Amino acid sequence: MELILESQNLADYLVEVPKIIEFNTPLVQQKVNWIKAQSNEPINQAELAFEIARDEIQHSFDIESKALSISAEDTLNSCEGICFAKAHLLATLLRAMQIPCGFCYQRVLRKGTVESGYALHGLNAVYLPEIGWFRLDPRGNKKGVDSQFLIDTEKLAYPIREELGEIDYPNVFTKPLDGVIQSMLNSTNTKELFFNRPSSI
C-alpha cells in the first residue's frame, strides 16, 4: 500500500499532543530510558517500543476489562488499553526517542458480521531513514491475530475484507483523530467505547 502522509514535514510526526502523547511523564520516561539502555540503533529501539505496546499492555477487550486508558502514561500505569491506547503509547515512546510516528486507521467489522456494524481500529506508521515509512499494529496477539515487527512485508492484526465493507485507510495522520479521542473521552468504560468508536475516518 502507498501511504498518504498528512504532512511532508517529519517534525510534525515528532510533536507531543497534550494529555495524550506526552514525553516527560514518569512511566514513559522509564520505558524510554530502558529502551535506550538496550540499543542506540533506531530500528532496534522501534522494535522494542513496539513489543512493549503489543505485549506488555493487555488489550482491554481481550481481558473483558472496563477500565479505560487514553494517554500513554495511563496505559502504562494500568497495563491495559484498546487499540487506540496502544497506538498512543507506541507513538509516544517513538517520538520521545526522535523516531517519527503517525496514526493510521482501518474500518473493521465490529463483531465479525455486517449486521454488527463497523468501527475504527487504530495502528501506527513509523519512519526510519534507511527504510522510509512502514506500518505496525501494536494491538496485541491472540488466537487468530499475529501482528509482527516487519519492514518489507506488513503483518498487521487484521486482514481487511473489502468485500465485507472493511477499509484499509492509507492515511498517516500527525495526531490521533479528533473523533477517536472524543469517543474515548465521552465513554465511561470500554464497554461503552466498544459502541461509541467512530465507524470511519
Side-chain angles (χ1 to χ4, degrees), residues 34-35 44-54 89-90 93-94 97 138:
W34 179 82
I35 292 170
N44 296 333
Q45 292 175 341
E47 184 168 13
L48 289 168
F50 169 74
E51 290 174 349
I52 288 170
R54 183 192 64 184
L89 173 58
L90 179 55
L93 295 176
L94 294 179
M97 295 185 292

Side-chain angles (χ1 to χ4, degrees), residues 11-193:
D12 291 336
Y13 295 94
L14 292 171
V15 299
E16 292 183 289
V17 178
K19 299 183 179 180
I20 307 294
I21 313 296
E22 296 182 322
F23 305 151
N24 293 319
T25 57
L27 295 177
V28 168
Q29 277 297 301
Q30 182 180 332
K31 288 298 184 185
V32 168
N33 291 337
W34 179 82
I35 292 170
K36 288 182 175 179
Q38 310 309 306
S39 176
N40 59 7
E41 293 293 331
I43 188 169
N44 296 333
Q45 292 175 341
E47 184 168 13
L48 289 168
F50 169 74
E51 290 174 349
I52 288 170
R54 183 192 64 184
D55 301 337
E56 294 187 15
I57 307 300
Q58 298 185 85
H59 195 290
S60 303
F61 295 159
D62 292 349
I63 61 174
E64 299 182 354
S65 171
K66 292 184 178 180
L68 179 55
S69 300
I70 303 176
S71 72
E73 185 73 5
D74 287 346
T75 302
L76 285 172
N77 184 57
S78 65
C79 293
E80 62 180 73
I82 71 162
C83 59
F84 303 137
K86 285 168 159 272
H88 299 165
L89 173 58
L90 179 55
T92 301
L93 295 176
L94 294 179
R95 290 183 180 195
M97 295 185 292
Q98 293 298 296
I99 299 173
C101 183
F103 300 91
C104 303
Y105 297 93
Q106 296 171 327
R107 180 186 193 234
V108 298
L109 289 172
R110 194 184 303 277
K111 289 186 176 181
T113 65
V114 173
E115 292 73 23
S116 67
Y118 300 89
L120 286 185
H121 168 65
L123 57 154
N124 300 95
V126 181
Y127 178 84
L128 294 174
E130 330 81 63
I131 297 163
W133 285 99
F134 61 100
R135 293 193 300 177
L136 295 173
D137 191 339
R139 182 235 180 265
N141 292 338
K142 63 175 185 175
K143 185 177 180 180
V145 176
D146 183 26
S147 181
Q148 299 294 330
F149 185 93
L150 294 176
I151 293 166
D152 297 328
T153 303
E154 287 185 338
K155 192 152 178 61
L156 307 178
Y158 300 118
I160 297 302
R161 299 161 295 184
E162 294 181 356
E163 69 277 11
L164 296 179
E166 295 183 327
I167 302 172
D168 196 1
Y169 296 109
N171 312 75
V172 182
F173 297 99
T174 59
K175 63 180 183 178
L177 290 179
D178 290 339
V180 167
I181 298 302
Q182 286 305 311
S183 72
M184 300 180 86
L185 292 173
N186 293 335
S187 300
T188 58
N189 55 52
T190 57
K191 188 173 182 179
E192 287 185 10
L193 181 57

